[in-house]
């Protein structure tokens, strides 16, 4: 594909990422406006780089004309949560929307079945309808749901993979695995005291509302 064709090809994916970011961010703002706890801490999104799409197509032996059906993470949304329990609440929100504004294609639980690298996250691949100037189109998008600790680990490991072109030296890999276990332990500890943390956060919100209304 030429650069101009790639730009045209990626447009619906860019629109889908923008729409999905708005949808998940508004769940958070609505809940907070109602004075309720939001399981969503923040939301990001990205379009996969063309070089990365081509690399994955090569790895999966996918032809250029099959890329939109076979590569599921060209449009990617990432939802960050405070606690592991929140991840499953967010997955339930997505399941409730199944058949409405999105269709769940499949789910991958890399929390209970964490990857060899130490990677943990919950992935939901959806089919998402988008309206383009040329008419309607259904695209695949990947929603990754993870805790702040999982995201910290994932972001660092991703940049090391990029730096070492997927060949991270063994001694660094070992450290990364230990760090992944430490991040998971941190999540478990935080889960144990989450009611305490949530009450403290509530008190802090009330206090700052009082101060700002003075
Ligand atoms: P980019 O464009 O750099 O963000 P699989 O064969 O299913 O194990 P696949 O298909 O690559 O492997 O996995 P999946 O579930 O589609 O996940 C793809 C994305 O999940 C990755 O995007 C990462 O964002 C994240 N991910 C999956 N495994 C790991 C991992 O071991 N470490 C980190 N840091 N992230 C991971 P890309 O490919 O990095 O693309």
């Amino acid at each position: 594909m030429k650069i101009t064709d790639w730009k045209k090809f990626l447009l619906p994916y860019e629109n889908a990422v923008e729409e999905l970011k708005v949808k998940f961010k508004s769940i958070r703002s609505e809940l907070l406006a109602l004075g309720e706890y939001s399981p969503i801490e923040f939301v990001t999104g990205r379009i996969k780089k063309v070089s990365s799409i081509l690399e994955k197509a090569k790895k999966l032996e996918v032809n250029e004309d099959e890329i939109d059906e076979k590569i599921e993470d060209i449009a990617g949304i990432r939802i960050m949560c405070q606690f592991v329990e929140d991840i499953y609440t967010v997955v339930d929100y997505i399941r409730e929307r199944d058949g409405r504004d999105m269709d769940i294609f499949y789910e991958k639980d890399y929390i209970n079945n964490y990857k060899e690298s130490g990677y943990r996250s919950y992935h939901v691949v959806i089919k998402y309808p988008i309206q383009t100037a040329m008419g309607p189109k259904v695209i695949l998008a990947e929603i990754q749901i993870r805790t702040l600790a999982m995201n910290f680990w994932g972001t660092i490991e991703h940049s090391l993979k990029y730096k070492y072109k997927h060949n991270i030296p063994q001694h660094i890999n070992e450290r990364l695995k230990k760090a992944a276990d430490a991040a998971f332990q941190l999540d478990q500890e935080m889960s144990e005291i989450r009611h305490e943390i949530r009450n403290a956060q509530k008190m802090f919100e009330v206090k700052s509302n009082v101060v700002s209304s003075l």
Side-chain angles (χ1 to χ4, degrees):
M1 249 192 278
K2 290 184 295 192
I3 291 278
T4 46
D5 293 338
W6 273 113
K7 279 195 176 153
K8 206 169 116 192
F9 174 80
L10 290 174
L11 268 177
Y13 291 93
E14 276 166 23
N15 293 342
V17 167
E18 288 314 309
E19 283 188 20
L20 287 163
K21 276 200 300 188
V22 168
K23 287 183 177 184
F24 288 105
K25 282 181 187 181
S26 53
I27 295 180
R28 173 178 166 83
S29 42
E30 273 177 45
L31 288 168
L32 294 185
L34 293 168
E36 292 193 20
Y37 174 76
S38 166
I40 296 175
E41 195 59 16
F42 66 96
V43 181
T44 61
R46 65 99 184 89
I47 291 291
K48 206 172 180 72
K49 281 195 275 172
V50 173
S51 57
S52 199
I53 297 175
L54 291 172
E55 212 176 284
K56 197 159 181 176
K58 198 172 162 196
K59 187 180 113 190
L60 301 176
E61 298 182 3
V62 164
N63 292 329
E64 228 173 60
D65 57 345
E66 301 173 303
I67 283 176
D68 56 346
E69 293 160 39
K70 303 263 171 78
I71 299 192
E72 298 155 351
D73 65 334
I74 297 176
I77 296 292
R78 203 168 273 171
I79 301 175
M80 266 57 68
C81 308
Q82 294 196 79
F83 306 105
V84 179
E85 291 75 9
D86 296 338
I87 294 179
Y88 296 99
T89 310
V90 174
V91 173
D92 283 340
Y93 285 159
I94 299 171
R95 289 184 186 145
E96 275 166 26
R97 292 176 92 134
D98 189 23
R100 295 185 178 171
D101 59 339
M102 56 189 74
D103 288 313
I104 296 179
F105 189 32
Y106 69 95
E107 300 178 17
K108 288 191 262 191
D109 184 353
Y110 291 133
I111 297 173
N112 287 315
N113 312 298
Y114 61 91
K115 283 195 167 183
E116 167 72 22
S117 59
Y119 177 75
R120 282 181 172 92
S121 194
Y122 198 100
H123 292 190
V124 183
V125 178
I126 58 164
K127 289 185 179 178
Y128 187 70
I130 185 105
Q131 303 303 320
T132 76
M134 270 70 70
K137 186 176 164 66
V138 176
I139 60 140
L140 291 172
E142 183 175 82
I143 308 174
Q144 302 181 345
I145 311 132
R146 40 169 85 167
T147 60
L148 298 170
M150 291 173 191
N151 189 48
F152 175 47
W153 184 93
T155 307
I156 286 174
E157 198 254 7
H158 190 272
S159 52
L160 284 171
K161 251 196 213 157
Y162 187 77
K163 178 180 175 205
Y164 290 107
K165 300 187 174 62
H166 291 272
N167 296 310
I168 301 179
Q170 182 62 19
H171 69 284
I172 299 182
N173 253 332
E174 278 161 20
R175 294 257 177 205
L176 280 170
K177 278 185 189 162
K178 277 190 196 160
D181 290 341
F184 189 61
Q185 228 177 321
L186 173 65
D187 275 335
Q188 281 182 322
E189 290 296 333
M190 290 302 186
S191 282
E192 294 288 327
I193 53 165
R194 77 179 189 286
H195 297 296
E196 201 67 35
I197 299 171
R198 275 165 63 164
N199 284 340
Q201 287 171 337
K202 245 188 220 159
M203 275 170 60
F204 186 73
E205 273 160 32
V206 172
K207 250 191 193 168
S208 45
N209 285 344
V210 170
V211 171
S212 64
S213 66
L214 287 178

